[in-house]
Amino acid sequence: LILISDSFLRSPNCMYEVTELVKDEDYKERILPIIFDDARIYKSHEYLEYITYWEERYKELNTRIRKLDAKNIGSLSMELKRIDYICQAIGEFIEVINNMLTVKLEDLKKSNYKIILETVGFEDEELILELLEILEFDNQEEKELRIDEFLHLHKGFSLSYYARSEIEFERKNYKLALK
């Protein structure tokens, strides 16, 4: 899963990881991009903003480095090289993402994350979907009753214990949440 947001596309660390990812020829088959609403990548004039952003970062850092004495550059040259790799990779990466099956975050929530479960081939998909529905309840008492009932019916299902600890965590019962 790759969660793609505006912040992701502007983060040097995230984008460096993208440059490493795209070195693998079959990376397209191994990812499911989830697109946040603030990631403007679907039209060329929108994603040009990200290409321009990285080119400007490169130019700015390069200009500042050139003003320094060579002995004071240190790891800045490595950072410049990383930004250069990002500049080279970001346009193609966004085009690849645009041509893939992508999921908008809102659609993912509406489907109760079913798309992820199907993609990873999770066997107990129905149980997870039921558990996710319970966790979405606004009424805390109803949520707790449903989780307890779920735990009773599906004793061996480990994620139900996670859901129970989530409830305890929300109630600030940290010791019970860790059990």
Side-chain angles (χ1 to χ4, degrees):
L1 297 176
I2 297 182
L3 304 175
I4 299 177
S5 66
D6 182 68
S7 299
F8 176 91
L9 293 167
R10 294 178 191 273
S11 164
N13 294 332
C14 294
M15 291 310 300
Y16 176 73
E17 291 302 322
V18 165
T19 65
E20 293 299 304
L21 176 70
V22 298
K23 289 177 184 177
D24 185 354
E25 290 181 22
D26 68 337
Y27 81 93
K28 298 169 204 159
E29 287 81 40
R30 298 185 309 125
I31 64 171
L32 173 63
I34 298 170
I35 313 299
F36 284 61
D37 289 338
D38 68 347
R40 295 171 307 281
I41 63 168
Y42 293 111
K43 297 178 183 164
S44 58
H45 72 275
E46 291 176 334
Y47 73 76
L48 272 170
E49 181 182 326
Y50 297 111
I51 296 170
T52 303
Y53 171 81
W54 286 106
E55 285 181 353
E56 288 172 0
R57 294 268 322 257
Y58 178 85
K59 288 175 189 173
E60 179 186 335
L61 184 59
N62 191 31
T63 300
R64 295 179 82 186
I65 288 174
R66 289 176 182 259
K67 293 177 182 177
L68 295 174
D69 191 309
K71 65 182 179 199
N72 297 328
I73 292 174
S75 64
L76 291 173
S77 61
M78 182 58 82
E79 185 177 344
L80 186 65
K81 195 173 199 175
R82 283 183 175 181
I83 292 174
D84 186 38
Y85 289 148
I86 293 168
C87 288
Q88 294 173 36
I90 191 166
E92 181 182 339
F93 174 72
I94 291 174
E95 286 178 26
V96 166
I97 295 300
N98 278 331
N99 292 323
M100 291 181 70
L101 168 66
T102 60
V103 180
K104 288 191 172 195
L105 183 61
E106 287 305 313
D107 294 338
L108 189 61
K109 287 178 181 177
K110 287 177 188 171
S111 76
N112 247 346
Y113 305 94
K114 187 173 184 170
I115 299 163
I116 293 174
L117 300 174
E118 289 171 350
T119 302
V120 298
F122 194 81
E123 294 175 18
D124 293 323
E125 179 181 317
E126 293 301 318
L127 291 178
I128 286 187
L129 291 174
E130 184 179 341
L131 198 54
L132 288 171
E133 280 181 29
I134 293 170
L135 289 173
E136 292 295 318
F137 279 39
D138 290 329
N139 182 310
Q140 192 68 23
E141 186 177 348
E142 177 72 15
K143 186 189 301 187
E144 289 180 39
L145 289 171
R146 295 298 277 307
I147 288 291
D148 288 341
E149 182 180 308
F150 188 92
L151 275 165
H152 180 72
L153 291 172
H154 308 287
K155 288 182 175 128
F157 191 62
S158 61
L159 287 177
S160 57
Y161 297 103
Y162 165 78
R164 185 71 185 136
S165 69
E166 171 107 0
I167 288 172
E168 294 302 336
F169 188 82
E170 287 174 2
R171 295 171 75 201
K172 300 189 183 333
N173 290 334
Y174 302 118
K175 287 182 182 178
L176 284 174
L178 292 173
K179 274 189 167 182

